[in-house]
C-alpha cells in the first residue's frame, strides 16, 4: 500500500463520540471508498517504546480511543541503563507515576552529564526533583505501558505497521500481515528507522554515523583493582571507553569499534576482545556475555512532524548520539507535548492551529538537543584540538552559571516555548511548588489545564470542563496568577479576567455553552 495524503484539514474536527469500539483483532476492511472501515479508533500509535506508551497514556486521560501497534512480540530484553533527567521526572510527578518509577531506579546527583565532564551539579537547580534517576530502559517501558493499559489503551504486540493511506476523515493503517485498521490519526513512534516517517516521505536530513561504539554486558576474568587502574589511564585519552560493575559479577563494557558498520548484526564477543586489546592492551578476560550491541552517532531531524493526519514523535522524528542521555527523555517529552493537543483536536475543542504548535514547539527543542550532542561528541574526540577545547570547557564549568546552563540544557528544564512577549516565566514550565492542597504537580494528574489564582478574584468560567481552578493566596509565586497548560508550561501570567479569557480561548478553545 502506498501512502497518500489529503490536504491538511483547515478546521477543527468534530468529536465523534457515537462510534463503538469493535472487536479489534478481527477487524478487516478495504482501504477506501464506501466500504472503508469504520473509525474504530481515534488514534493508532505505531510503536510501544517509551514515546508511544507515554503518548497512549496521555491520550487516554482525555478518553481518546487509542490502539498501540508494536512490532515486537515480547518487551525488549537487553538492559540499557538510561537516565531520567529532571524534566522527565517532573512529568512523572505530574501524572502520579514518580513514586512507582523511583522504586526501580537509583538517584544520582544531576551533574557531570555534559560530555561526561566530571563536575558536580550546579547549586540550587530550580526543581523539586533535582536529581538523575538511573533506571533500566525495559523497566521504564514496562511501567509506561502498564500505565497506558491501566488508563484503557489497547496494545497489540507482534503487529508491524507496513503501510497507510490518509483521507479527509482518517487514516487506514495496513499491518504486515495485510490486516487493515482505521483511525482518525496515526502517530509514528516507531523509532529511528521509522516506517511511518519513510512512508510519509518526510525528509530526515543530517549526518550519518562517523563513529561506532560497542556496548554490552559480560563477566571479566581479572580483579576489580586491575580494571580500575587500567581504566583511569585509558580514559585520559579515550572518553568512549569504560568497564563498570553492573552487579553479580557482570560488567557493562563500552569500547570504540574499529569502524562504522550497517549495524545489521550485533557484534561478537571476539569483536569486544579485539577492541579491548587494541585500546587497553588487554581484553580483561571478558567472557559469558549477557547481550552485545553497538550504536552509532548518526544525527538527523525530520523536516516535518506532521503531514495531515499523520504525526511523528520520539526517535522517529530525531536521532542523535546518546551523549548526555537525552533521547528517551526527549521522546517522552514530545509525547507529553502532543498528547493533550491531539486529544483536544479529537474531542473537538482544539483552537485553530493548536495541533501545529506541536511541531512549532518541539522541532526547535530537538534541533538544540542535536546540536548539544554534536558538541559533546567533539568533546569526546581523542584529537588534540577537541581535547584542548575540552580542557578549556572543564575550566569554564567551574563558573556555576556555565555549569548550570549546560545542565539545564541536558535536563530540559531550561526550555522556554515562544508564546510571544511577556515575563520570563511565560512559556517555561513551572516547578513543583507547595500549594495549600500539597504539591502543585499533584493537581495535574488528570492532564487538564490549571489556573493558579493568588488574587482569588478570577474564574475559568466556561472552560471549567477543561481547566481546573485553584485559589491559593499563599502559593509560592512572585506573580498574581498563572494559567498552566496540561503539560505544566505557563500559558499566561496576570490578574485581569478579560485578558485571561483571551488566553483561555487561545489554548483551550471556545467556552462551553
Ligand atoms: C547506548 C544507548 C544509550 C542510551 N542512553 C540513553 C539515556 O541515558 N537517556 C535517554 O534519554 N536516552 C538514551 N538513549 C536513547 C533511547 O534509548 C531512545 O531515544 C529511546 O528508546 C527512543 O524511544 P522511542 O519510543 O522514540 O523509540 P524506540 O525505543 O526505538 O521504540 C520504537 C518502538 O517501535 C517499534 N516499531 C518499529 N517499527 C515498527 C512498526 N513498523 N510497527 C510497529 N512498531 C514498530 C519497535 O519495536 C520499538 O518498540 C540511549 C540509546 C543508546 C543506543
Amino acid at each position: 500500500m502506498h501512502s497518500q495524503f489529503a490536504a491538511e484539514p483547515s478546521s477543527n474536527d468534530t468529536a465523534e463520540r457515537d462510534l463503538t469500539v469493535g472487536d479489534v483483532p478481527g477487524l478487516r476492511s478495504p482501504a477506501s471508498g464506501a466500504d472503508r472501515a469504520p473509525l474504530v479508533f481515534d488514534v493508532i500509535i505505531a510503536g510501544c517504546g517509551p514515546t508511544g506508551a507515554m503518548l497512549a497514556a496521555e491520550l487516554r486521560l482525555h478518553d481518546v480511543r487509542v490502539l498501540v501497534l508494536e512490532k515486537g512480540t515480547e518487551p525488549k530484553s537487553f538492559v540499557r541503563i538510561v537516565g531520567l533527567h529532571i524534566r522527565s521526572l517532573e512529568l512523572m510527578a505530574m501524572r502520579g507515576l514518580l513514586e512507582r518509577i523511583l522504586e526501580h531506579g537509583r538517584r544520582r546527583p544531576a551533574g557531570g552529564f555534559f560530555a561526561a565532564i566530571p563536575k558536580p551539579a550546579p547549586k540550587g537547580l530550580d526543581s523539586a526533583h533535582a536529581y538523575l534517576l538511573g533506571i533500566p530502559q525495559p523497566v521504564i517501558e514496562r511501567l509506561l505501558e502498564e500505565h497506558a493499559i491501566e488508563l484503557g489503551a489497547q496494545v497489540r504486540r507482534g503487529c508491524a505497521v507496513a503501510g497507510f493511506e490518509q483521507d479527509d476523515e482518517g487514516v487506514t493503517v495496513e499491518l504486515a500481515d495485510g490486516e487493515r485498521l482505521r483511525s482518525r490519526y496515526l502517530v509514528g513512534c516507531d523509532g529511528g528507522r521509522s516506517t511511518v516517517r519513510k512512508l510519509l516521505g518526510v525528509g530526515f536530513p543530517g549526518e550519518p554515523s562517523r563513529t561506532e561504539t560497542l556496548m554490552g554486558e559480560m563477566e571479566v576474568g581479572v580483579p576489580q583493582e586491575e580494571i580500575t587502574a587500567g581504566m583511569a589511564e585509558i580514559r585520559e585519552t579515550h572518553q568512549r571507553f569504560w568497564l563498570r560493575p553492573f552487579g553479580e559479577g557482570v560488567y557493562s563494557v563500552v569500547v570504540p569499534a574499529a569502524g562504522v558498520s550497517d549495524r545489521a548484526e550485533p557484534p561478537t564477543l571476539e569483536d569486544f576482545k579485539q577492541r579491548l586489546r587494541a585500546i587497553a592492551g588487554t581484553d580483561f578476560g571478558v567472557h559469558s556475555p549477557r547481550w552485545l550491541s553497538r550504536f552509532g552517532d548518526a544525527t538527523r531531524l525530520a523536516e516535518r512532524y506532521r503531514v495531515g493526519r499523520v504525526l511523528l514523535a520520539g526517535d522517529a522524528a530525531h536521532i542523535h548520539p546518546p551523549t548526555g542521555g537525552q533521547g528517551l527523555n526527549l521522546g517522552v517529552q514530545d509525547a507529553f507535548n502532543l498528547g493533550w493537543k491531539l486529544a483536544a483536536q479529537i474531542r473537538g475543542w482544539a483552537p485553530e492551529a493548536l495541533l501545529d504548535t506541536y511541531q512549532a514547539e518541539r522541532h526547535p527543542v530537538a534541533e538544540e538537543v542535536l546540536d548539544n550532542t554534536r558538541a559533546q561528541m567533539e568533546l569526546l574526540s581523542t584529537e588534540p584540538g577537541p581535547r584542548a577545547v575540552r580542557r578549556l570547557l572543564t575550566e569554564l564549568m567551574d563558573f556555576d552559571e556555565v555549569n548550570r546552563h549546560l545542565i539545564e540544557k541536558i535536563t530540559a528544564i531550561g526550555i522556554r516555548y515562544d508564546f510571544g512577549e511577556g515575563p520570563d516565566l511565560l512559556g517555561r514550565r513551572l516547578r513543583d511548588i507547595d500549594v495549600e492542597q500539597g504539591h502543585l504537580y499533584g493537581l495535574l494528574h488528570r492532564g487538564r489545564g490549571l489556573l493558579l489564582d493568588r488574587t482569588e478574584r478570577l474564574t475559568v468560567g466556561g472552560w471549567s470542563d477543561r481547566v481546573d481552578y485553584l485559589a491559593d493566596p499563599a502559593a509560592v509565586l512572585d506573580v498574581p496568577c498563572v494559567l498552566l497548560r496540561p503539560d505544566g508550561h505557563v500559558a499566561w501570567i496576570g490578574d485581569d479576567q478579560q485578558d485571561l479569557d483571551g488566553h483561555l480561548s487561545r489554548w483551550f478553545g471556545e467556552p462551553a455553552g
Side-chain angles (χ1 to χ4, degrees), residues 50-56 58-59 87-88 91-92 95 187-191 204 300-302 304-305 311-320 326-342 355 357-367 369-370 412 415 417 485 487 489:
T51 306
M54 186 81 218
L55 179 62
E58 285 299 290
L59 290 166
R87 185 58 185 150
S88 299
L91 305 193
M92 301 303 157
R95 295 299 183 257
V187 187
C189 299
D190 49 347
F204 203 37
R300 297 183 180 279
L301 178 59
R304 299 178 66 179
Y305 281 14
L311 297 110
L312 299 170
D315 275 17
H318 36 69
I319 54 167
H320 53 80
Q326 299 168 90
L328 181 148
N329 288 270
L330 185 61
V332 163
Q333 290 160 28
D334 283 348
F336 213 72
N337 184 287
L338 175 59
W340 69 278
K341 295 173 182 173
L342 187 51
L355 195 50
T357 65
Y358 165 59
Q359 158 153 346
E361 292 170 6
R362 296 304 297 172
H363 196 270
V365 169
E367 235 166 359
V369 170
L370 262 58
I415 290 172
Y417 297 140
R485 306 193 314 184
D487 60 359
H489 278 260

Side-chain angles (χ1 to χ4, degrees), residues 175-469:
L175 306 190
D177 66 2
E179 184 179 356
R180 287 171 186 221
L181 299 165
R182 195 149 160 84
S183 64
R184 302 185 64 199
Y185 288 88
L186 168 67
V187 187
C189 299
D190 49 347
R193 297 175 188 223
S194 170
T195 302
V196 174
R197 186 193 65 238
K198 288 176 192 156
L199 290 172
L200 209 45
V202 166
F204 203 37
E207 305 93 61
S209 282
R210 290 181 307 163
T211 64
E212 193 168 289
T213 308
L214 308 183
M215 182 184 197
E217 282 170 24
M218 56 204 78
E219 293 178 38
V220 297
V222 297
Q224 171 65 45
E225 305 77 63
E226 201 173 309
I227 295 172
T228 314
M231 277 274 296
E233 196 184 318
I234 300 156
R235 278 183 62 85
E236 290 279 308
T237 44
H238 283 91
Q239 297 296 330
R240 290 191 295 123
F241 171 87
W242 80 62
L243 267 88
R244 272 191 204 142
F246 191 70
E248 295 171 6
V250 177
Y251 277 68
S252 166
V253 179
V254 173
V255 61
V260 175
S261 72
D262 63 3
R263 283 186 284 136
E265 296 293 327
T268 62
L269 184 63
E270 191 47 39
D271 293 332
F272 276 77
K273 286 184 176 177
Q274 277 177 15
R275 294 306 297 154
L276 286 168
R277 279 185 223 121
I279 289 170
T282 166
D283 62 17
F284 297 100
V286 291
H287 63 95
S288 311
R290 302 296 190 266
W291 57 264
L292 304 173
S293 175
R294 56 171 118 228
F295 60 89
D297 64 348
T299 306
R300 297 183 180 279
L301 178 59
E303 275 169 346
R304 299 178 66 179
Y305 281 14
R306 177 186 177 198
V307 179
R309 292 177 172 274
V310 184
L311 297 110
L312 299 170
D315 275 17
H318 36 69
I319 54 167
H320 53 80
T323 37
Q326 299 168 90
L328 181 148
N329 288 270
L330 185 61
V332 163
Q333 290 160 28
D334 283 348
F336 213 72
N337 184 287
L338 175 59
W340 69 278
K341 295 173 182 173
L342 187 51
Q345 184 83 5
I346 285 158
R347 299 308 303 257
W349 56 259
E352 181 84 36
L354 178 69
L355 195 50
D356 287 328
T357 65
Y358 165 59
Q359 158 153 346
E361 292 170 6
R362 296 304 297 172
H363 196 270
V365 169
E367 235 166 359
E368 264 214 49
V369 170
L370 262 58
D371 258 4
N372 84 47
T373 57
R374 284 185 181 106
Q376 290 185 72
M377 286 307 285
E378 290 300 313
L379 293 164
L380 294 174
S381 160
T382 53
E383 294 296 316
R387 286 180 63 197
V389 177
R390 185 182 177 89
R391 284 193 292 274
L392 191 63
L393 187 65
T394 305
E395 279 173 36
L396 288 175
M397 283 177 75
D398 283 337
F399 293 99
D400 197 56
E401 256 183 69
V402 176
N403 194 14
R404 173 185 308 279
H405 179 76
L406 296 175
I407 292 300
E408 284 184 354
K409 254 186 201 302
I410 301 272
T411 59
I413 58 171
I415 290 172
R416 182 177 188 226
Y417 297 140
D418 182 5
F419 294 171
E421 290 287 299
D424 184 60
L425 187 59
L426 186 68
R428 293 189 186 277
R429 102 291 180 230
L430 187 59
R431 78 196 297 271
D432 193 5
I433 58 172
D434 288 340
V435 289
E436 229 168 56
Q437 284 88 338
H439 298 291
L440 177 72
Y441 286 5
L443 306 176
L444 297 172
H445 288 188
R446 292 194 297 163
R448 293 155 54 87
L450 177 74
L451 179 69
L452 174 51
D453 179 7
R454 291 179 59 228
T455 70
E456 300 181 283
R457 282 191 290 102
L458 302 181
T459 164
V460 294
W463 290 272
S464 61
D465 57 339
R466 284 151 267 173
V467 181
D468 292 325
Y469 174 79

